[in-house]
Amino acid sequence: MTRRCKLSRISKGLLFCAFVFVFAPPALIRAQAPSSITGTVLDPSGAPVVSTKVSAKNLETGGVRTVSTNHAGRYEILSLPVGRYEIKATKPGFADSLRTGIELSIGQEARIDFLLRLGSVSSEIRVTGDAPMVSTATKDISGLVGEQQVKELPLNGRSYDLLLPLNPGIVNFTSQKTGGTGISNSSTGNNFAVSGNRPQQNLFLLNGIEFTGAAENNMQPGGTSGMLLGVEAVREFNVQRDSYGAEFGKHPGAQVLIATRSGTNQWHGMAFEFLRNSAFDAPNFFDQGVAPPFQRSQFGASLGGPLRNGKTFLFTNYEGFRQHLHQTSVAFVPSAASRAVAAPAVQPLLNLWPTPAPGAPDFNGISEVFSTPLQTVREDFGTSRIDHVFSPNDSLAAIYTVDDGDDFTATPFDPFSADIVALREQVLSLEETHLFSSACLHTARVGFSRAGYFFTGKPTPGTPAASVPAFLLGRPVGAVVVGGSAASNPQSSISLAGSNNGSNLKIHRNLYTLEDRITMTRGRHQFSFGAWFERFQSNETIALSQFGQATFSSLQSFLNGNISTFLFDPTPTEMNWRTLFGAWYAEDVFRPSPKVTVSLGLRDEFSTGWNEAHGRAANYTFTNGVIDYRPSIGNSLFTVNNSKFLSQPRIGLAWSPFGPKTIIRSGFGLYNDLQDALGYRADQNAPFNPTYSLAGLPVSQLPIDPSAAVPAGAKLVPGGVQPDMKTPALISWSLRVVRELSPNTALTIGYVGSHGYHELIGVDANEPRPTICPASPCPAVFPANFSVPLAGTPVPAGTYHIPAGTARANPALGNTWTWFSRGDSSYHALQTELRRRLSRGLTLRGVYTFSKTLDDGDSLNQTTSGNAPGLVSNPFNLAADKGLATFHVKHSAVIHALYALPFGGGERFASGHG
C-alpha cells in the first residue's frame, strides 16, 4: 500500500501556528542538521537484495525505525536522534545480519552496508563496529566535538564553546577584547573567527533554534561569567565551518549546531562541584606581595530517565557559578605634584582616581597605583527537556534553556570606576517529527529566544569617586578621558575614569522562529524542501554618552580645566526595532553511482528591513556625496531595502575515484549576512537619540542641564548606517581529500577560500574633502615636522592631502560614526586534520591551519578588538586600510587526546570490580 506524504494532526497545528506567526502579532511561537543512516544490501554475488527490512534500534530509548530497500538494494533511515544504535537487516531466505556499536552524531549520514548470506530464518550474523569514517556523503561532520570531548577535556570555567578551536580554521581571539569579563559592553561571550569570518557572523543553534546573546554589537551567547555554561546538558555539537548546504543560513560564518542530552530508558543522575581559589596561586609580575584573593565555585546536578518506559523521557540540569576575584590593578593616575597645581574646578574630578602613595615615582605628572579591586559574578544555568514518542512514526520534543546572571566589576584600569552587567538568555523549542513512509519525512519546529541585557558604569561605591558631581544634572558622573581621542572609551595616557561612556544600556531581543521541512527519497535522489521564518524584535536603549564624556587632549589641559571635546546625549530614547527574516530552500542530493554524490541546493533569503515600531527610525542621507544636516525620519532606517531577494546557490561533491578509502570533497556556496544588530549605530541619531559635541568647554561650566536648550556651539555627531545599505555577502569554496588510514583513523588535507563583499565598516562620513596630489594646494615635499624618512622628501602622486583648517564636508555637523557596506575580505587556508576515534581506549585528534585573512576594516567597535581602530583611516581610499585582519593567525595547531585506563567493568584489568 502506498502512503501519501500528508500532514499529521500535530504538523497541521504547527503550520497553523506558522500562519499566525507570519500574519499576526507574535505570540509564544532553524534547522538543526538531521542525522540519518543509509546503505545498500547485497547478496553474496553482489546483486541488490530488494525489499529487505532494515531496522535501526536506539539502544538508549528502545525506539525502532524500520524501512525497506528499494530496487537497487538501497535504504535510508531519515532524521534519527543522536545516540547509540544497532542496525538489523532481515530477508526471508537469508540469515539475519546485525550491526552493533553505531554511534550516530549530529548531522551525520552514517553509511552501513550489509552483505546477506544464505541461511535459515533462525541464524544471525553479528558484527560490531561503528560506521566507516570515510564515505561519499556530502554532509559534513568534520566539525564534530563529541560527547567524550565535551565531558572529559579540561575546561577552565567549563565553557564548552572553548572547544571550538579543536577544529581547523577557528581562532579564539577573546583576549583582544578591551577590558575583558564584566567590562566590555561590546561582547559578553567569547569571540571566534571561523574560516576568516567575523565573530558577529557566527550562528549558534540550540536544538535547531537560534541561541542569542545581547550586547552592543556581538550577539554570541555567553553569560555574565564570560562562559557558555551547560557542559552536563550538552551531548555534542557540530561546527559547520564553510560550504555548507541550503538548509543553513542567516549568517555566513560558522553554524554551531548544539544538541542537548535527552532522557533514556534508565534513570541516571549526577551532582558535582568544582572549586578554585588562590591558596596555591603564585603572584604575577604586577602583584604586590602574595597573589590576590580568588574564589570560584561551580556546582550543579543533572537527572534523566523515563517518565513512561519507551515512550516519554525527561532530562533536567542545573549549574551555578559564583566568583569572587580580586584582580591586580595598575592604574595610571595624576601624581601628587599634578594634584597640587590642578585648577579649583578640577579638584573634585581628582577623586575619580585613587591617590598615589607618598613618595610614589612621578612620570611627567603621572604615577602608578597598585591595588586588587573586587569582581563578583553570579550565574545560574538550567535546561529541561521532554521527549515523547507517539508511535514509531511520530515524536515530539520540547526543550527550555535559561541562563541568568549578574556581575559587578571594579575595573583594573581604575578601581574607583565600576561596571555592572545583568544578562538573562532563554531558548524554548518545540519540534515534531512525522514519518509518512520510509521515503517521506516531515519536520516542524517552532521556537522562542530572548536575551535581556543591562550594562552601566558608575563610580565604585564607598570610594571618594561616588561623591563626584555629575556632568549632566540628575545623572551619575560621566567618563573622563585624559590624553586620548574623542572616541568612545578610547586608549588614554591616564586610566579612564568615571562611568563607562556606554552606560545605562538596555536591550531586550525577542526571536520567534518557525521552520518547516520535508525530506523525500526518490530512487537515487533525496529531495529536501523547507521554509524558515524569524520574527525579530529588539527593544533597546543603547545610545552612548548618556552621562557625558569629557575628553582632555593632555594632562596639562586637564589640570587647567579645559575640555577639548565634550560628548553628551540629553534625551536618550528607547527604540523598538522590528523585522521579519525568512527563507525558502530546496536541495537535491543525487547519487549517480556508488562512487559519486552530488548536492545541488538553492536558498533564497529575505528581510523586511530595519523598522521602528513607532515611526522613529532616523537616519542621515546624502546629497551629492555630502551628508544632509537633518536626518530622514520614518518607519524604516533604509531608503531602499536591498535584502528582499537574496538567492544563494549551494553545490557539494563527494567522489571516491580510487576506492572507498579515499574521498575527494568539494563545495561552493554563496551566503548572506542578514543584519540583526544595527542598533549600535541606528540608536545614535537625532532627534530621538542626539549626541552633541562641544569643543573648548571649561570644566567650570559643568554641569549641563539636559532639559534646557543645547549650549551654543554644540554640533550633532551623527551615527546611523548607509541609507541604501547592501546585505553583506560571502562566496566560499573548498576542496578536501580524506583518506582512511585504518578503520578508526582518517587524515584530511584541504584548501578553503572565501571572498566577502558588502561587508560593514565604520566610516567618518563627514571628513573634509581631500586633494589628490599633485594638485594645488599640495606641497611639493613633506613638511619638516613629519617623521624621518618622510620629512623633506617629495610627495608622491596619488597622495591624499587635507590642508590645515579645511572645513568638514558639512560644517554644520561634527564627525560621524556610520556603518557602510563597502568592505571587502578574503581568506585562503590550508587545513589539515588527523582524527582517531575511540579504539583501544585512545581518542586522538590533531589539526593544523596555515592561513591568511585580509580585509579593510573588521572592527565595528574599537573595544571589540583593542588592536584595531573602529573607523577606516581614509574613507576616500579604502585600499589604504587593506591588510591583515585583527583575527588573522598565520599558523594554528591544536592536538588533544583522551585515553581510557584499562581498569574496571568490561576492561582488560580488574573487570570484576567495576
Side-chain angles (χ1 to χ4, degrees):
M1 179 178 67
T2 301
R3 300 179 62 186
R4 295 183 179 180
C5 194
K6 60 184 180 180
L7 300 183
S8 65
R9 292 180 180 179
I10 295 177
S11 301
K12 291 178 180 177
L14 292 178
L15 286 179
F16 174 76
C17 292
F19 180 87
V20 174
F21 168 87
V22 175
F23 297 104
L28 184 63
I29 307 256
R30 135 175 159 156
Q32 194 81 355
S35 305
S36 61
I37 298 176
T38 184
T40 57
V41 181
L42 305 176
D43 65 16
S45 68
V49 183
V50 181
S51 300
T52 303
K53 291 190 178 298
V54 181
S55 59
K57 181 179 180 180
N58 188 312
L59 300 180
E60 299 170 5
T61 65
V64 178
R65 289 266 297 276
T66 302
V67 299
S68 297
T69 58
N70 62 14
H71 67 279
R74 178 177 174 78
Y75 73 94
E76 192 156 20
I77 308 176
L78 304 173
S79 193
L80 290 170
V82 172
R84 296 190 298 275
Y85 285 84
E86 64 177 24
I87 315 297
K88 190 174 185 178
T90 61
K91 172 75 173 181
F94 294 87
D96 294 349
S97 182
L98 181 67
R99 182 74 173 266
T100 63
I102 308 299
E103 294 280 348
L104 193 60
S105 302
I106 183 172
Q108 181 181 8
E109 183 182 303
R111 184 175 181 89
I112 306 296
D113 294 326
F114 290 94
L115 183 64
L116 297 187
R117 299 179 182 176
L118 297 175
S120 63
V121 175
S122 60
S123 62
E124 180 180 271
I125 299 173
R126 180 183 294 261
V127 178
T128 301
D130 208 341
M133 296 189 68
V134 175
S135 74
T136 56
T138 56
K139 292 183 179 179
D140 182 17
I141 62 164
S142 62
L144 177 71
V145 178
E147 183 176 14
Q148 187 183 27
Q149 286 77 27
V150 172
K151 299 294 186 296
E152 299 182 14
L153 285 175
L155 288 169
N156 183 9
R158 291 171 55 81
S159 182
Y160 64 87
D161 60 345
L162 295 177
L163 297 175
L164 263 67
L166 297 181
N167 293 290
I170 300 181
V171 175
N172 180 355
F173 74 113
T174 307
S175 61
Q176 298 302 306
K177 289 195 303 184
T178 299
T181 300
I183 299 175
S184 173
N185 51 17
S186 298
S187 173
T188 304
N190 294 309
N191 286 351
F192 300 94
V194 181
S195 293
N197 290 292
R198 303 176 182 186
Q200 297 92 340
Q201 295 175 326
N202 298 328
L203 185 70
F204 285 68
L205 297 170
L206 184 61
N207 301 302
I209 299 299
E210 182 173 349
F211 191 1
T212 183
E216 283 184 328
N217 56 28
N218 190 338
M219 307 306 165
Q220 179 167 312
T224 53
S225 64
M227 313 295 179
L228 189 59
L229 300 183
V231 166
E232 303 303 328
V234 172
R235 174 148 190 167
E236 61 186 28
F237 62 89
N238 187 7
V239 186
Q240 301 282 326
R241 304 188 302 274
D242 56 80
S243 307
Y244 37 80
E247 70 267 35
F248 299 111
K250 187 180 180 182
H251 297 311
Q255 306 274 315
V256 184
L257 317 178
I258 307 167
T260 57
R261 294 174 61 186
S262 59
T264 67
N265 268 332
Q266 292 183 335
W267 284 100
H268 294 280
M270 69 169 297
F272 63 89
E273 182 168 17
F274 296 87
L275 301 174
R276 284 190 62 189
N277 60 57
S278 54
F280 299 100
D281 288 355
N284 67 32
F285 178 82
F286 297 101
D287 289 335
Q288 304 297 293
V290 299
F294 171 38
Q295 294 85 36
R296 175 190 289 172
S297 174
Q298 288 181 261
F299 53 91
S302 62
L303 180 67
L307 297 179
R308 183 182 174 191
N309 216 49
K311 285 290 186 180
T312 308
F313 308 93
L314 169 71
F315 176 82
T316 188
N317 162 256
Y318 164 77
E319 181 171 354
F321 182 104
R322 304 291 184 271
Q323 176 171 290
H324 288 72
L325 171 63
H326 288 262
Q327 303 182 84
T328 299
S329 168
V330 184
F332 296 96
V333 305
S335 67
S338 295
R339 291 169 182 265
V341 300
V346 177
Q347 289 291 335
L349 296 181
L350 293 172
N351 289 324
L352 293 173
W353 296 275
T355 303
D362 188 320
F363 304 98
N364 296 319
I366 301 173
S367 292
E368 293 177 324
V369 173
F370 296 85
S371 63
T372 57
L374 175 65
Q375 177 189 72
T376 60
V377 180
R378 175 202 64 83
E379 188 173 346
D380 295 291
F381 171 92
T383 290
S384 290
R385 173 173 182 147
I386 293 181
D387 294 87
H388 182 71
V389 179
F390 295 98
S391 71
N393 296 331
D394 207 353
S395 62
L396 183 70
I399 311 102
Y400 174 69
T401 299
V402 60
D403 187 298
D404 180 86
D406 49 59
D407 171 291
F408 178 90
T409 302
T411 70
F413 307 115
D414 177 9
F416 283 12
S417 177
D419 292 325
I420 299 170
V421 183
L423 177 61
R424 183 179 177 90
E425 300 167 334
Q426 303 173 78
V427 182
L428 175 66
S429 61
L430 182 68
E431 179 180 321
E432 193 262 352
T433 302
H434 187 80
L435 189 70
F436 296 100
S437 70
S438 61
C440 184
L441 174 77
H442 176 253
T443 302
R445 181 183 293 115
V446 295
F448 170 68
S449 303
R450 178 178 173 86
Y453 175 79
F454 174 74
F455 181 98
T456 197
K458 70 176 187 177
T460 304
T463 68
S467 60
V468 174
F471 296 160
L472 301 175
L473 287 176
R475 302 178 190 176
V477 67
V480 176
V481 181
V482 179
S485 72
S488 182
N489 299 319
Q491 302 294 325
S492 58
S493 59
I494 287 183
S495 299
L496 295 177
S499 300
N500 191 303
N501 191 47
S503 287
N504 198 34
L505 309 181
K506 304 170 187 175
I507 304 175
H508 293 91
R509 288 169 61 88
N510 301 312
L511 285 66
Y512 305 86
T513 303
L514 181 139
E515 182 166 14
D516 199 75
R517 176 187 175 99
I518 292 178
T519 303
M520 297 182 295
T521 301
R522 293 292 184 270
R524 297 178 178 180
H525 298 265
Q526 182 187 100
F527 299 100
S528 297
F529 306 95
W532 164 80
F533 301 98
E534 184 177 88
R535 197 173 181 90
F536 172 88
Q537 300 176 345
S538 186
N539 304 311
E540 57 191 44
T541 306
I542 54 177
L544 301 178
S545 306
Q546 295 184 42
F547 302 162
Q549 176 175 291
T551 300
F552 301 86
S553 60
S554 65
L555 175 60
Q556 190 59 51
S557 66
F558 168 72
L559 298 176
N560 294 336
N562 297 321
I563 302 174
S564 57
T565 305
F566 183 71
L567 299 173
F568 68 101
D569 181 349
T571 56
T573 303
E574 179 180 279
M575 306 299 285
N576 308 113
W577 300 109
R578 304 289 187 267
T579 192
L580 174 66
F581 300 117
W584 63 264
Y585 57 89
E587 190 169 54
D588 176 16
V589 179
F590 173 52
R591 295 175 175 84
S593 77
K595 291 185 176 183
V596 178
T597 303
V598 179
S599 173
L600 301 175
L602 178 65
R603 183 181 181 91
D604 190 277
E605 293 184 329
F606 71 86
S607 165
T608 59
W610 192 254
N611 311 298
E612 213 284 326
H614 307 289
R616 297 180 301 199
N619 200 19
Y620 286 86
T621 54
F622 297 79
T623 301
N624 297 323
V626 177
I627 188 170
D628 297 324
Y629 178 70
R630 299 186 185 279
S632 173
I633 301 172
N635 295 319
S636 175
L637 195 67
F638 301 126
T639 56
V640 58
N641 180 8
N642 287 311
S643 58
K644 292 181 178 179
F645 303 101
L646 302 170
S647 294
Q648 305 164 14
R650 313 282 174 85
I651 302 172
L653 171 68
W655 180 33
S656 57
F658 311 115
K661 293 187 177 183
T662 302
I663 304 295
I664 298 175
R665 298 183 186 277
S666 64
F668 171 87
L670 174 62
Y671 307 86
N672 284 103
D673 188 13
L674 297 180
Q675 296 302 298
D676 63 357
L678 294 176
Y680 183 59
R681 293 292 85 215
D683 290 16
Q684 315 298 330
N685 281 339
F688 307 105
N689 285 292
T691 299
Y692 291 95
S693 173
L694 274 170
L697 178 71
V699 172
S700 58
Q701 293 186 13
L702 295 176
I704 292 174
D705 185 354
S707 63
V710 176
K715 290 186 177 181
L716 283 168
V717 180
V721 302
Q722 180 179 332
D724 59 347
M725 189 187 79
K726 306 289 186 180
T727 303
L730 182 84
I731 300 174
S732 174
W733 57 90
S734 62
L735 177 65
R736 294 179 172 94
V737 178
V738 187
R739 174 68 181 179
E740 181 184 294
L741 303 181
S742 74
N744 293 300
T745 308
L747 174 67
T748 302
I749 301 176
Y751 160 70
V752 178
S754 67
H755 168 61
Y757 57 97
H758 297 323
E759 303 266 24
L760 295 188
I761 54 174
V763 172
D764 181 352
N766 197 27
E767 288 265 17
R769 290 285 180 177
T771 299
I772 302 178
C773 303
S776 178
C778 289
V781 297
F782 287 106
N785 60 352
F786 272 49
S787 60
V788 177
L790 287 179
T793 61
V795 175
T799 300
Y800 287 74
H801 174 62
I802 301 177
T806 303
R808 292 186 174 276
N810 186 339
L813 295 173
N815 62 291
T816 86
W817 186 356
T818 309
W819 284 347
F820 280 78
S821 56
R822 294 171 53 194
D824 286 281
S825 66
S826 66
Y827 176 78
H828 301 279
L830 167 70
Q831 297 182 0
T832 65
E833 175 187 8
L834 178 67
R835 183 193 290 260
R836 173 188 171 92
R837 67 186 175 195
L838 183 63
S839 176
R840 298 183 178 179
L842 177 64
T843 299
L844 175 68
R845 189 181 186 193
V847 301
Y848 168 72
T849 304
F850 174 66
S851 65
K852 188 173 186 178
T853 309
L854 298 174
D855 61 36
D856 47 19
D858 55 67
S859 295
L860 300 181
N861 179 316
Q862 190 169 3
T863 61
T864 302
S865 183
N867 64 340
L871 299 173
V872 298
S873 61
N874 185 357
F876 304 100
N877 180 22
L878 294 181
D881 282 272
K882 186 173 182 179
L884 297 175
T886 56
F887 40 79
H888 163 77
V889 175
K890 186 174 183 179
H891 299 281
S892 174
V894 179
I895 299 175
H896 79 270
L898 293 169
Y899 180 69
L901 296 175
F903 299 99
E907 299 295 340
R908 183 177 179 183
F909 302 107
S911 60
H913 296 81

